[in-house]
Amino acid sequence: MGPRGPQPFSSIDPPVVTRAGKDLDAAKRRLRDEMCSRRRSVQPNDALRAAELAVGALLDLESVKRAGRIGVYAALHDEMPTRVLFDAVVALGAVALFPRTQANRPLDFCVVEHWQELSWGSYGILEPARSKRAEDFDSDDLVIVPGVAFDASGNRLGRGKGYYDRTFPPESATSPILIGYGYEFQVVERVPHGERDRRLNAIVTEHAVRHCQ
């Protein structure tokens, strides 16, 4: 069974909030808590099947077929699995780059040829070794971006640390193509967002591909 067209939005539809402040923070926190709870309820077999379907849809995108370098990430236990995603990127012949965190700084992305090269880093995430050299992206590259929630306009809710927004700010002229990656139920009608939150170019789930901008 392949990806289907967009399904009805999640019932968790917060109001759009575009100003900074307590209202925005509270709206993000409510949506984040609910979505993280729903992700934890996904059974391992269902998670792997969803990942296989999402990867199949991703590989059909022309932007993915053309990309020589693709940023991926090692999923946390409650996120859609990404080992199958990494294997697909390698099989495609593209160079895979993984993010490495530094407190309050943009992410460093490093080339990884084998999953076993990753080691446990900040926040319990598998990351490239500190000895690996960081690489810069350009507009011809592509980055698969995790998220807690997404909407069809390309707005994304992360875990609240702001790493991806710092790494790929809205005003960047040489930003790579950014594709959100997650379960279909993570797509809601509206994600609360502020002016500094970076929008995505597309969102891929196990059911649909949404082109946002």
Side-chain angles (χ1 to χ4, degrees):
M1 180 180 65
R4 302 192 300 272
Q7 304 298 298
F9 289 113
S10 163
S11 60
I12 311 164
D13 297 333
V16 172
V17 183
T18 56
R19 66 184 184 279
K22 294 181 179 179
D23 290 347
L24 176 60
D25 292 341
K28 287 184 174 183
R29 185 169 57 252
R30 286 194 301 270
L31 182 57
R32 188 177 289 118
D33 289 347
E34 179 65 26
M35 280 297 173
C36 287
S37 176
R38 292 187 66 176
R39 288 198 312 198
R40 288 192 295 269
S41 70
V42 179
Q43 297 301 305
N45 287 343
D46 294 334
L48 181 57
R49 178 58 176 157
E52 290 170 345
L53 291 170
V55 167
L58 192 68
L59 294 180
D60 282 339
L61 294 176
E62 288 301 321
S63 57
V64 174
K65 295 176 183 177
R66 292 195 304 265
R69 301 193 306 167
I70 299 178
V72 295
Y73 62 95
L76 294 170
H77 69 281
D78 63 341
E79 294 177 325
M80 183 184 286
T82 54
R83 176 60 188 272
V84 64
L85 170 62
F86 168 73
D87 290 342
V89 168
V90 172
L92 194 65
V95 174
L97 296 95
F98 280 75
R100 184 176 60 205
T101 56
Q102 299 183 74
N104 300 316
R105 289 175 55 85
L107 295 167
D108 286 335
F109 277 83
C110 309
V111 174
V112 171
E113 296 180 347
H114 305 285
W115 188 269
Q116 290 75 18
E117 295 175 32
L118 302 172
S119 57
W120 296 107
S122 305
Y123 310 111
I125 300 172
L126 286 171
E127 300 181 343
R130 292 291 165 184
S131 59
K132 279 188 170 288
R133 180 170 61 89
E135 303 275 343
D136 292 326
F137 286 110
D138 61 36
S139 57
D140 294 326
D141 297 323
L142 186 144
V143 177
I144 310 300
V145 181
V148 174
F150 311 95
D151 67 27
S153 295
N155 295 305
R156 166 188 169 271
L157 177 67
R159 288 182 174 267
K161 301 295 184 181
Y163 279 107
Y164 279 87
D165 291 325
R166 279 195 296 272
T167 307
F168 307 112
E171 67 274 11
S172 176
T174 59
S175 176
I177 298 168
L178 301 182
I179 298 183
Y181 187 74
Y183 297 112
E184 181 66 24
F185 66 75
Q186 292 177 246
V187 182
V188 300
E189 185 175 351
R190 292 180 295 275
V191 166
H193 58 277
E195 294 179 354
R196 301 300 301 169
D197 295 328
R198 173 63 189 271
R199 290 174 60 192
L200 303 168
N201 298 93
I203 300 162
V204 174
T205 74
E206 74 275 27
H207 286 322
V209 174
R210 294 174 174 85
H211 296 279
C212 306
Q213 53 178 313

